Amino acid sequence: LTPEDLSAMVLRSLADDTSAATSPGQVVALTFWPHPTRVLAKTAAPPLITSRQRRRELLSQCGVDILIEQPFDLGFAALSPTQFVSDLLRDSLQADVVCVGYDFNFGKGRSGNAETLRALLAEAGMQALVVPAFAVPTADAASSEPSPSASG
């Protein structure tokens, strides 16, 4: 699998989970631009898996109705987890359901995680879906021996 294939798999998984929970609502994807690492730790920023345009195309193919590219700067990075949920997700986006990956971090200093998000959303009457980690198919997936990543 190429990094772009992997990115497409992750996006499809998130979109599928979100679509199932929001039907018949709209699926809105919130991304950050530039990538937070490019603002907070420029020298440590990994290369992007896909271009900005390709990410837009992949999200559209995954059934995303609306894409919001949140400008990411030091001011936005300073939001607390509570402010992120109340100001952005509740007040601005008026989200009902928020879907994130199991390793999602947010808020100043990455002080919030998926469980923090779940708790804050519940307080606001909103739902969190946390997508668990999943194994990536490999070339030896067709063999009868389980791969180490598939064992748990």
Side-chain angles (χ1 to χ4, degrees), residues 7-90:
S7 180
M9 285 176 55
V10 170
L11 293 173
R12 168 56 62 199
S13 177
L14 287 169
D16 286 349
D17 286 357
T18 305
S19 291
T22 60
S23 189
Q26 290 186 314
V27 175
V28 178
L30 172 67
T31 65
F32 303 106
W33 189 261
H35 189 284
T37 308
R38 292 184 179 234
V39 172
L40 300 173
K42 195 171 196 165
T43 59
L48 298 176
I49 294 172
T50 63
S51 70
R52 190 175 184 187
Q53 181 58 38
R54 183 64 179 141
R55 181 180 60 204
R56 291 173 180 156
E57 292 167 3
L58 289 169
L59 286 166
S60 177
Q61 291 169 10
C62 289
V64 169
D65 299 306
I66 299 170
L67 171 62
I68 298 170
E69 294 178 314
Q70 171 66 45
F72 193 92
D73 57 22
L74 294 176
F76 186 79
L79 291 177
S80 70
T82 301
Q83 290 171 307
F84 180 88
V85 169
S86 64
D87 296 356
L88 182 64
L89 300 180
R90 186 192 68 209

Side-chain angles (χ1 to χ4, degrees), residues 17-18 21-22 95-99 121 126-129:
D17 286 357
T18 305
T22 60
D96 294 316
V97 178
V98 177
C99 183
L121 290 174
M126 300 155 63
Q127 180 184 0
L129 295 175

Side-chain angles (χ1 to χ4, degrees), residues 120-142:
L120 290 171
L121 290 174
E123 289 174 15
M126 300 155 63
Q127 180 184 0
L129 295 175
V130 179
V131 177
F134 59 90
V136 176
T138 61
D140 66 338

